[in-house]
């Protein structure tokens, strides 16, 4: 699974740095191309010559090479990598990563990286369980980083507890497992809607909702990372796409989103309808700003917008998979199952505004998935990127069944 992969191995200043000679050798043996980046303190624990010999590449530690003046571009490195592995990750480096303190080559590269990031903490047990470390690791998880949990055992302090960097063999296995899953959508075409729609009242006012688009964009990045060609139809949001496999179509209104979806649907293997589409639009949009009247407020007559999910359900082929979303405030399960049936969906993702840290404008979500086979998959509150991973796991199983 690692053959031909570009792996950046970031080594920080902890005693477990000695294990990185073995880790580098195993990665190269698995067929990966390894670029080592060391923090200045890491060089106190293991010599760069050892790692450059094993990796076949000069080790990078500073922003430029002292004897030649050659600039080491953290941007180019971030684009080159298929994965960034930081092992060992000290409490200091974890804190810098969590809070954007870019004072060395490794953290700067991390902030520029487009690839998945794997963090293997290593420190004494008291440092490991300190509230600041716990908080920083949770922040890294919320950013979408993968934490390779440390093992328990005897530490450098001779105390016994959790804090030993995971063994190199297991770190390689974690990478192999990720890439084994990560290409399960290879060459599939996935259509995704995200964000709100905006329905004009007059040239300066509109009807909309609180959707930030974060869940839909997380799904787009997840599908693209797993090999899919993604068409992302996005309402007005401030988010940016990162992966080169994402084709973005920006729309404003529900009608525009409907037309973009129906145009892209025939070429798609799956469609994920994550956008918060306005159910109604103003029947007669004023061509000039409506002035405040002294006696009576203006009456807005609304007309239904196209039902995109229903249109997809009525149009899709038997080999196409459709996924819906249901944001509910009451009777959550009943309403979600009803929508699953009415819209001819393969499965629906339900989340409730009554769940803390779920829904609009936050970086986390908690969902329950209902499938057309009667399955119910309950999730925990986690980052939207992690939720996207769980949703795409279910999607992948449907697409695999349709191939047979």
């Amino acid at each position: 699974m690692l053959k031909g992969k570009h792996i950046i191995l970031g080594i920080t200043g902890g005693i477990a740095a000695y294990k990185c000679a073995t880790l580098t050798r195993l990665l190269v043996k698995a067929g990966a191309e390894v670029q080592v980046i060391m923090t200045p303190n890491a060089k106190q624990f293991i010599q760069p010559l050892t790692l450059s010999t094993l990796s076949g590449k000069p080790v990078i530690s500073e922003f430029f090479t002292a004897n030649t003046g050659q600039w080491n571009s953290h941007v180019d490195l971030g684009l080159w990598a298929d994965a960034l592995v930081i092992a060992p990750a000290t409490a200091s480096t974890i804190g810098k990563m969590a809070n954007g303190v870019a004072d060395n080559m490794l953290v700067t590269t991390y902030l520029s990286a487009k690839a998945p990031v794997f963090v293997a903490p290593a420190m004494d047990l008291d440092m490991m369980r300190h509230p600041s470390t716990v908080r920083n690791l949770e922040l890294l998880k919320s950013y979408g980083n993968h934490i390779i949990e440390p093992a328990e055992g005897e530490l450098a302090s001779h105390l016994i507890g959790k804090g030993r960097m995971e063994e190199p063999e297991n770190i390689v296995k974690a990478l192999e497992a990720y890439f084994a899953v990560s290409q399960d959508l290879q060459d599939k075409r996935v259509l995704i809607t995200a964000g709100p729609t905006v329905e004009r009242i007059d040239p300066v006012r509109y009807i909309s909702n609180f959707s930030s688009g974060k869940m839909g964009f997380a799904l787009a990045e997840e599908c693209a990372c797993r090999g899919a060609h993604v068409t992302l139809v996005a309402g007005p949001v401030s988010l940016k796409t990162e992966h080169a496999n994402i084709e973005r179509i920006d729309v404003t209104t529900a009608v525009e989103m409907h037309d973009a979806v129906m145009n892209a649907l025939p070429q798609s293997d799956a469609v994920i309808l994550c956008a918060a589409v306005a159910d109604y639009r103003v029947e007669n949009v004023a061509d000039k700003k409506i002035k405040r009247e002294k006696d009576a407020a203006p009456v807005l007559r609304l007309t239904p917008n196209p039902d995109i999910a229903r249109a997809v359900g009525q149009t899709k082929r038997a080999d196409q998979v459709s996924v819906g979303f249901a944001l509910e405030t009451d009777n959550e399960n009943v309403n979600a199952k009803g929508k699953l049936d009415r819209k001819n969906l393969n499965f629906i993702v339900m989340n409730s505004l009554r769940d803390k840290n779920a829904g609009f404008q936050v970086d986390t979500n908690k969902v329950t998935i209902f499938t057309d086979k009667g399955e119910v998959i309950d999730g925990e509150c986690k980052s939207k990127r992690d939720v996207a991973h769980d949703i795409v796991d279910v999607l992948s199983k449907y697409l695999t069944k349709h191939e047979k």
Side-chain angles (χ1 to χ4, degrees):
M1 292 299 170
L2 298 183
K3 185 175 179 59
K5 298 298 183 186
H6 296 166
I7 308 294
I8 292 177
L9 175 56
I11 305 174
T12 71
I15 185 62
Y18 79 90
K19 295 183 178 181
C20 290
T22 300
L23 179 55
T24 303
R25 181 180 63 80
L26 291 174
L27 289 171
V28 171
K29 186 177 180 180
E33 189 174 341
V34 180
Q35 175 62 66
V36 175
I37 301 178
M38 301 179 71
T39 65
N41 284 339
K43 292 186 287 186
Q44 303 298 318
F45 294 92
I46 185 170
Q47 290 295 313
L49 178 60
T50 301
L51 297 162
S52 64
T53 301
L54 292 169
S55 67
K57 288 179 175 290
V59 169
I60 295 173
S61 182
E62 307 294 342
F63 290 101
F64 62 91
T65 304
N67 58 340
T68 65
Q70 177 181 338
W71 176 255
N72 297 313
S73 172
H74 56 89
V75 175
D76 290 344
L77 285 166
L79 293 172
W80 174 83
D82 292 307
L84 171 57
V85 182
I86 300 179
T90 60
S92 175
T93 293
I94 289 169
K96 291 177 181 180
M97 293 168 62
N99 295 283
V101 181
D103 65 349
N104 62 45
M105 186 66 187
L106 177 56
V107 179
T108 306
T109 302
Y110 159 72
L111 293 174
S112 299
K114 303 292 188 289
V117 178
F118 297 82
V119 181
M123 64 196 75
D124 205 69
L125 69 137
D126 291 320
M127 298 174 71
M128 188 69 208
R129 63 192 181 196
H130 193 279
S132 64
T133 304
V134 173
R135 180 202 63 192
N136 288 333
L137 285 171
E138 287 301 318
L139 277 173
L140 291 184
K141 288 180 183 179
S142 74
Y143 301 158
N145 296 312
H146 304 268
I147 308 301
I148 301 175
E149 292 291 336
E152 294 193 13
E154 185 176 0
L155 306 173
S157 64
H158 303 300
L159 297 174
I160 306 296
K162 184 175 181 179
R164 289 176 58 90
M165 187 184 91
E166 184 57 276
E167 295 303 318
E169 293 81 1
N170 291 332
I171 293 175
V172 172
K173 286 179 181 178
L175 288 169
E176 289 176 333
Y178 174 83
F179 283 112
V181 172
S182 70
Q183 298 304 304
D184 56 354
L185 298 186
Q186 187 70 39
D187 297 328
K188 296 297 183 183
R189 295 191 173 273
V190 182
L191 172 61
I192 300 174
T193 65
T197 62
V198 167
E199 312 299 333
R200 291 187 179 278
I201 297 172
D202 62 20
V204 299
R205 301 182 181 91
Y206 60 85
I207 299 172
S208 190
N209 56 64
F210 296 112
S211 175
S212 64
K214 291 179 179 179
M215 190 69 249
F217 274 64
L219 284 162
E221 295 292 341
E222 179 69 19
C223 288
C225 285
R226 292 166 75 155
H229 300 281
V230 178
T231 300
L232 176 63
V233 182
V237 294
S238 60
L239 302 175
K240 295 180 180 179
T241 54
E242 302 288 349
H243 203 287
N245 281 4
I246 300 174
E247 175 192 1
R248 178 171 174 173
I249 301 173
D250 289 308
V251 298
T252 301
T253 68
V255 171
E256 291 170 351
M257 184 171 284
H258 169 272
D259 292 346
V261 167
M262 300 312 293
N263 183 58
L265 182 62
Q267 298 81 39
S268 302
D269 297 294
V271 54
I272 305 176
L273 301 164
C274 186
V277 184
D279 293 322
Y280 300 94
R281 66 183 184 275
V282 176
E283 191 171 84
N284 295 304
V285 178
D287 57 359
K288 296 180 180 179
K289 179 182 176 182
I290 300 172
K291 299 294 185 180
R292 183 184 179 114
E293 300 294 339
K294 293 182 180 179
D295 298 327
V299 175
L300 298 179
R301 189 176 299 278
L302 303 179
T303 189
N305 270 322
D307 187 332
I308 299 175
R310 184 182 294 276
V312 169
Q314 293 174 340
T315 308
K316 71 173 185 176
R317 303 185 305 271
D319 64 334
Q320 290 177 308
V321 179
S322 62
V323 182
F325 272 71
L327 177 63
E328 302 294 342
T329 59
D330 62 288
N331 296 322
E332 289 93 338
N333 293 358
V334 173
N335 290 335
K337 291 177 182 177
K339 186 174 182 180
L340 171 71
D341 296 333
R342 293 195 310 275
K343 308 300 173 73
N344 189 27
L345 300 166
N346 293 96
F347 66 92
I348 192 165
V349 182
M350 186 275 291
N351 61 297
S352 171
L353 285 181
R354 295 197 290 183
D355 287 325
K356 186 179 179 181
N357 296 323
F360 293 141
Q361 301 294 328
V362 293
D363 294 322
T364 55
N365 207 355
K366 180 182 178 182
V367 305
T368 300
I369 296 174
F370 298 94
T371 76
D372 59 358
K373 306 300 182 184
E375 298 172 290
V376 180
I377 305 169
D378 289 313
E380 299 176 351
C381 186
K382 57 181 75 174
S383 72
K384 287 186 174 177
R385 186 58 187 266
D386 285 343
V387 172
H389 181 84
D390 294 342
I391 294 169
V392 178
D393 279 349
V394 180
L395 173 64
S396 177
K397 292 177 181 178
Y398 271 88
L399 288 171
T400 301
K401 290 178 182 177
H402 284 199
E403 287 179 350
K404 295 179 180 180

